[in-house]
Amino acid sequence: MWRSVWRSIDRFSLQHFKYVINELRQIKAVDWHNREVVIDLLQSIVEIVTYGDRQDPMIFECFMEYQVLAEFVRVLKISRNSRIEAPLLQYLSIMIQNMGSEHAIYYCLSNDYINNIIEHTYEFEAGDLAPYYMSFLRAVSNKINRDTLCLLVKVDSDAVTSFPLYTEALKFAQHGEKMIQTAVRALTLNIFNVSDDMVYQFVTTPPASKYFSDLVHSLRKKCIHLDGLVKAAQETYTDQKKRDILLESDKIVDDMYYFKDILSISESHLSKAVTKDLLNILVFPLLLPSLQLRQSNEFHVSAATSLYIVSQLLQVVGGKNMINSVAALLLFPYMALRIRDAIEGDTIDGTDACSFYNLLHELEIAKFFSLKSKGEEDMNGNHLSAHEEAITSSNSDSDRITMDGDTCVERCRKGILAYINSENHILLFASVFLLLILAENKDLDSLMSSAIGLSEMQDTMRYDISASEVGKNNILRRLMPQVLNALLKVLASQPPFCALIQWHAGWILRKLLLFQGNILNDHHLQLFDTSYLRSCERLQKELDGCWFDQILETLKDEWANCKSALQEALQSKDPLFLLELAVCQQTIDGSRTSSIFSWETMVDAVKVFTFHVQLKTFIVKGNLPENPFLDLMSGPATDSEISQSLDLSSASFGSEVFLGSGFPCRIAFSNAGVRDIYLIPVARGISGKLILAEKHPFRSQRGVVIAIAPLAGLSPKIDEDHPMWLHLRIREFDPRSNASKTRGFNAKKSDTGVDGRWTLGFTSNKACEATRMLILEETRKQRSHIESILSPFLQNDYLENLFDNQAG
């Protein structure tokens, strides 16, 4: 034990440290013969230096005196295909990571030792060196601050001319391994957060600034790939295609969060460079063709995907310049009409037009627009053409949006307005959602906020709108009747859209009603009442389905889910729902028959009914009610009504039951052969079950339960060829154990759930028919009890009566 302690102390002694250094100095070349020896020496040095940094200042003094880092550089240079680089970088990373002394860190970063190691010529193609190299660079970046950053850059005339840590790391920015990409991004953020003006100038000036444009180009490619996946899923939807869309959208969002991290540093040069690339390379090429403001060259993405990407970008990245640039692009045709009217001496004050024109220049996006035809004068009689030409000299005519009066009117019929008026509800949802994001953003310029008009929606609205009036009024205020009409048509559609589409339509509807003061005209109310009645009819129909016994429980459970969905804040709502809607099953498929799909249909009917109740309450009362279904499970008929001494409704596997009401029959089990049993259907209150019991060997009127099935969904049928056989369908699907917890995308499942089947044999045709009738009667009793509890909620005047009672 003492020898072990002595060896441990001796190993970290200054004397031993000097011995290890001298041993390393004796190495004249590193090859496969002495590679392991060199690795042991490097490991010992790192361990001793790490120990000395905390325990013995003399060790680090020796480290500096002997210029040990220079020995590391030398080892790299004398290596002869020994693959010593990976362990050397690994040990260096460990040493730097564990250094706590500012003095030690400052020394290590000085004298160009680190830069020499960074700039060494490595053979990354051979082996797995790249992760070790990036780990080393990241470890260095974790230690830099405003005092040490200057040690890693070369400066000439107050300008950074070389920054190996940064430029070498960027070479791995598009590496295939996610871990290496993450290391590069962490390193760049460490550098950006140091807040060094000369470094900011370096990273935002070519060639280093190409990193940002390359990132946006990479994001752009991912957007194109995502659009391809969406289109493929629209043609034939599979779970794998759903997963592919989720994976690609996650990659896009990850990139966006990185851009957000960069912009959150709040350095003007950096923010402008990144925002400019995002707008010029991604947003404008993405939106302009989709809004029919310019022809696409090579970058074409469907409108739904384009609106999703821009919405996601605004939600995640945001920023004043980004928000206002997107808003300017969307609103340009409408604002251009204002400018035209002001120029023509219309009664509209020209202040807004000038402000908008100035805003385009402040955002540095005026080069994309020409607000009037060539040679036209502004409101003050000044000639603008020369000024505009100077601004846009670097842009061809095809890259600019030229808006004379007639063009503005035409564009107002297209663009975002075309999507809002589209028969395609996905484009309606996506365009309104995008306008909502802009309208609720605190960074939106007041001029464009008033143009969108969500803050000024208290007046009575008309249905008709002329193109010449669009520029004189805000957009959504004038279009609100059409938008509400379209949303309510989605809700009232026949055949009905899937619950997912109706849910999101309900969310948008409530959001718009909040903005406009909860005002619906008579036509809108009639549409909603139609939709409400159809949701009641849809739920009523489920009482004839195979899951009617679960309706009350599902109503209770889904109330909170629907309420949370309707109340979800805009900033919390993932724009991914737009892609989800684009590829989901549009309408209800009545051809699906298995109990799994029947369950989904019942749950969807409950969801649609529930959010209709909540929406109707909101429309009438202005708020969402508390859950009225909490006490539905209680009722006048309970298990205590059973007259038998043993409660059949509480019977479980293996328990004893009274056989007096049972029908004797036979059943064949695959693993137990043919067995003589008694069949006992029983309904008590809202519960109902079918019991199979074997006669007790010692008690003639008693039996032991060997199987139980729910009454709901049995669908008893007598075999056509064998009238003494009774077929029963058994629900094998357990919604509780199979509840899906996957993110997004209410996936359309394949029909893989095969229901079970019991075939029972009776002694006569009459006994078989009597058993079938008894099962149907017990099922009817259970259904009737559930219907009696549910029926008040399905009456059209239920909510009105509830409100009257609450008022009283």
Side-chain angles (χ1 to χ4, degrees):
M1 177 180 177
W2 287 108
R3 175 175 293 183
S4 175
V5 173
W6 167 251
R7 285 179 177 174
S8 176
I9 295 174
D10 182 66
R11 181 184 175 190
F12 293 103
S13 68
L14 181 60
Q15 182 180 1
H16 181 65
F17 185 44
K18 291 179 180 180
Y19 169 78
V20 174
I21 295 173
N22 287 327
E23 285 293 306
L24 184 62
R25 285 180 167 181
Q26 299 302 314
I27 303 295
K28 302 305 179 184
V30 182
D31 53 31
W32 283 101
H33 297 291
N34 63 355
R35 179 178 181 272
E36 295 302 323
V37 173
V38 175
I39 290 176
D40 289 342
L41 292 173
L42 295 175
Q43 180 180 359
S44 296
I45 289 174
V46 169
E47 290 175 348
I48 296 171
V49 170
T50 302
Y51 168 82
D53 183 56
R54 290 175 170 79
Q55 305 292 333
D56 189 349
M58 294 302 296
I59 288 178
F60 200 80
E61 290 294 329
C62 180
F63 177 82
M64 293 187 292
E65 179 184 348
Y66 281 71
Q67 297 185 353
V68 176
L69 275 180
E71 290 301 311
F72 278 73
V73 176
R74 188 180 69 86
V75 167
L76 282 175
K77 291 180 179 180
I78 64 175
S79 175
R80 299 174 180 173
N81 300 321
S82 64
R83 302 185 69 176
I84 195 69
E85 294 89 347
L88 183 145
L89 292 171
Q90 181 182 23
Y91 291 135
L92 268 178
S93 300
I94 294 171
M95 184 180 74
I96 293 172
Q97 287 171 359
N98 287 283
M99 279 186 176
S101 165
E102 292 184 6
H103 173 65
I105 295 170
Y106 192 92
Y107 171 78
C108 287
L109 299 183
S110 61
N111 299 315
D112 251 3
Y113 296 134
I114 295 298
N115 277 343
N116 287 333
I117 294 172
I118 292 173
E119 293 182 293
H120 178 75
T121 302
Y122 298 94
E123 295 182 5
F124 293 107
E125 294 77 11
D128 55 350
L129 182 58
Y132 293 102
Y133 182 71
M134 276 311 308
S135 178
F136 166 66
L137 297 187
R138 184 175 182 177
V140 173
S141 73
N142 287 334
K143 297 299 182 180
I144 60 175
N145 54 39
R146 301 198 70 171
D147 296 324
T148 57
L149 181 61
C150 60
L151 302 174
L152 298 174
V153 300
K154 294 178 182 178
V155 179
D156 183 22
S157 301
D158 295 329
V160 174
T161 59
S162 175
F163 191 2
L165 176 65
Y166 184 75
T167 55
E168 293 300 317
L170 296 191
K171 294 178 181 179
F172 295 87
Q174 301 301 327
H175 196 277
E177 289 189 28
K178 180 67 175 178
M179 182 186 71
I180 292 179
Q181 288 186 25
T182 301
V184 173
R185 295 183 177 188
L187 178 147
T188 57
L189 291 174
N190 286 339
I191 291 172
F192 299 155
N193 276 301
V194 173
S195 300
D196 185 278
D197 291 336
M198 285 195 295
V199 169
Y200 285 143
Q201 185 65 36
F202 175 80
V203 301
T204 56
T205 304
S209 61
K210 188 175 181 293
Y211 169 61
F212 301 118
S213 60
D214 287 345
L215 277 176
V216 182
H217 276 293
S218 174
L219 176 58
R220 175 168 154 160
K221 290 179 181 178
K222 291 172 185 173
C223 294
I224 295 173
H225 185 222
L226 174 66
D227 189 53
L229 294 174
V230 171
K231 290 175 180 176
Q234 287 173 329
E235 294 175 0
T236 54
Y237 189 88
T238 64
D239 285 345
Q240 183 56 51
K241 289 182 178 180
K242 177 198 74 172
R243 288 190 289 270
D244 291 341
I245 291 173
L246 287 174
L247 180 62
E248 195 65 21
S249 63
D250 282 343
K251 292 178 182 178
I252 289 173
V253 172
D254 284 346
D255 286 352
M256 290 181 179
Y257 272 108
Y258 177 53
F259 285 121
K260 179 181 180 179
D261 290 339
I262 295 175
L263 294 179
S264 66
I265 295 171
S266 300
E267 201 288 320
S268 58
H269 289 88
L270 200 58
S271 297
K272 285 183 179 179
V274 173
T275 302
K276 180 180 177 181
D277 283 338
L278 282 171
L279 290 172
N280 293 351
I281 300 171
L282 181 67
V283 177
F284 285 170
L286 194 69
L287 277 183
L288 290 175
S290 297
L291 296 175
Q292 304 176 53
L293 297 176
R294 190 174 72 194
Q295 293 297 317
S296 172
N297 294 325
E298 75 289 347
F299 184 33
H300 179 70
V301 174
S302 66
T305 305
S306 297
L307 294 172
Y308 158 72
I309 293 167
V310 175
S311 297
Q312 193 72 269
L313 189 70
L314 297 184
Q315 290 275 60
V316 174
V317 180
K320 188 172 183 179
N321 281 1
M322 181 69 67
I323 292 291
N324 286 291
S325 295
V326 171
L329 179 62
L330 295 176
L331 304 180
F332 178 75
Y334 311 96
M335 299 305 298
L337 273 179
R338 291 189 179 186
I339 295 176
R340 186 202 67 170
D341 291 340
I343 292 174
E344 293 176 354
D346 196 81
T347 54
I348 297 295
D349 185 2
T351 303
D352 283 355
C354 291
S355 299
F356 182 68
Y357 185 73
N358 292 332
L359 179 63
L360 295 180
H361 286 283
E362 290 176 12
L363 295 171
E364 298 183 4
I365 60 173
K367 64 184 178 181
F368 288 98
F369 305 93
S370 178
L371 294 179
K372 44 201 239 8
S373 59
K374 203 166 191 178
E376 207 168 17
E377 294 182 349
D378 66 8
M379 282 72 69
N380 299 319
N382 298 320
H383 197 71
L384 293 176
S385 295
H387 180 54
E388 289 184 8
E389 287 177 0
I391 295 171
T392 61
S393 59
S394 62
N395 296 272
S396 64
D397 290 339
S398 63
D399 291 331
R400 297 171 59 195
I401 309 170
T402 302
M403 289 287 186
D404 56 24
D406 294 336
T407 305
C408 288
V409 173
E410 179 62 24
R411 295 305 189 195
C412 284
R413 295 194 184 103
K414 297 180 180 179
I416 199 75
L417 175 60
Y419 294 152
I420 291 176
N421 286 326
S422 173
E423 292 295 324
N424 185 330
H425 57 274
I426 305 302
L427 296 182
L428 166 68
F429 291 0
S431 54
V432 173
F433 184 72
L434 180 54
L435 288 177
L436 287 172
I437 292 174
L438 292 171
E440 282 202 4
N441 197 288
K442 61 181 180 5
D443 290 326
L444 184 66
D445 183 85
S446 59
L447 175 63
M448 288 184 288
S449 178
S450 65
I452 294 176
L454 286 175
S455 59
E456 304 173 2
M457 292 187 174
Q458 300 299 325
D459 299 337
T460 303
M461 294 165 287
R462 305 193 308 271
Y463 279 94
D464 298 327
I465 178 171
S466 62
S468 62
E469 289 180 315
V470 175
K472 300 179 183 179
N473 298 278
N474 53 52
I475 297 171
L476 277 183
R477 177 185 173 188
R478 298 292 299 167
L479 296 177
M480 186 59 71
Q482 290 97 315
V483 175
L484 295 177
N485 198 59
L487 290 171
L488 290 166
K489 280 185 175 180
V490 170
L491 293 179
S493 173
Q494 196 68 4
F497 285 106
C498 67
L500 194 65
I501 291 175
Q502 294 194 59
W503 242 21
H504 291 299
W507 179 87
I508 296 174
L509 176 64
R510 178 178 177 272
K511 199 71 178 174
L512 293 176
L513 291 177
L514 282 172
F515 274 116
Q516 74 148 14
N518 205 18
I519 299 173
L520 290 176
N521 61 31
D522 291 341
H523 177 70
H524 294 150
L525 290 173
Q526 184 180 1
L527 275 176
F528 182 79
D529 286 342
T530 300
S531 176
Y532 182 84
L533 287 175
R534 285 176 178 167
S535 73
C536 294
E537 292 169 0
R538 183 175 170 185
L539 185 60
Q540 178 78 41
K541 185 184 293 186
E542 289 303 314
L543 286 169
D544 296 324
C546 71
W547 290 96
F548 71 84
D549 57 331
Q550 296 294 315
I551 290 177
L552 297 180
E553 185 71 28
T554 306
L555 275 170
K556 184 180 70 172
D557 294 342
E558 288 296 332
W559 180 270
N561 296 335
C562 292
K563 189 173 183 179
S564 297
L566 284 177
Q567 290 181 319
E568 186 177 15
L570 180 67
Q571 286 299 319
S572 301
K573 194 170 186 67
D574 190 344
L576 185 66
F577 84 91
L578 298 173
L579 297 186
E580 182 178 7
L581 296 181
V583 301
C584 78
Q585 184 176 330
Q586 300 292 296
T587 57
I588 298 169
D589 185 356
S591 65
R592 303 183 302 174
T593 58
S594 79
S595 61
I596 293 178
F597 291 125
S598 297
W599 165 261
E600 293 172 357
T601 301
M602 185 275 290
V603 172
D604 283 351
V606 168
K607 288 179 177 179
V608 171
F609 170 76
T610 302
F611 83 71
H612 271 87
V613 172
Q614 295 178 356
L615 272 178
K616 187 165 186 176
T617 307
F618 176 76
I619 291 169
V620 176
K621 301 289 289 183
N623 54 35
L624 296 179
E626 295 303 316
N627 192 345
F629 305 120
L630 288 176
D631 299 325
L632 288 185
M633 306 307 289
S634 61
T638 65
D639 292 339
S640 61
E641 295 175 344
I642 300 176
S643 58
Q644 294 93 332
S645 59
L646 183 64
D647 187 355
L648 287 171
S649 65
S650 63
S652 59
F653 182 80
S655 63
E656 289 189 18
V657 294
F658 180 65
L659 298 179
S661 60
F663 283 86
C665 58
R666 306 184 83 189
I667 188 171
F669 292 107
S670 59
N671 58 351
V674 178
R675 301 172 72 169
D676 292 315
I677 60 168
Y678 282 79
L679 181 148
I680 311 171
V682 56
R684 294 295 181 267
I686 64 173
S687 66
K689 59 183 66 174
L690 180 73
I691 299 172
L692 301 184
E694 278 189 318
K695 191 173 183 180
H696 197 284
F698 306 114
R699 305 174 67 181
S700 61
Q701 296 300 313
R702 311 294 291 176
V704 178
V705 176
I706 63 170
I708 299 176
L711 277 179
L714 286 178
S715 300
K717 294 181 181 180
I718 296 177
D719 191 282
E720 294 181 359
D721 298 325
H722 303 85
M724 291 188 295
W725 291 4
L726 183 64
H727 299 298
L728 303 176
R729 183 180 70 171
I730 307 299
R731 296 184 326 213
E732 296 288 348
F733 174 67
D734 184 353
R736 290 173 180 79
S737 62
N738 290 276
S740 174
K741 299 184 182 297
T742 56
R743 166 196 162 205
F745 285 89
N746 187 13
K748 184 174 73 175
K749 300 179 180 65
S750 58
D751 195 357
T752 56
V754 179
D755 293 325
R757 191 176 77 162
W758 290 350
T759 300
L760 306 170
F762 293 85
T763 57
S764 66
N765 298 356
K766 184 178 180 180
C768 185
E769 175 63 19
T771 303
R772 187 182 76 86
M773 295 303 297
L774 181 60
I775 292 174
L776 292 176
E777 174 60 21
E778 292 297 305
T779 304
R780 185 199 62 77
K781 287 165 56 179
Q782 181 188 9
R783 181 186 292 109
S784 296
H785 189 82
I786 293 173
E787 187 173 9
S788 68
I789 298 174
L790 188 60
S791 59
F793 296 96
L794 300 178
Q795 300 301 315
N796 192 35
D797 58 352
Y798 163 71
L799 288 178
E800 286 79 358
N801 295 334
L802 178 64
F803 298 148
D804 291 341
N805 293 335
Q806 291 177 347

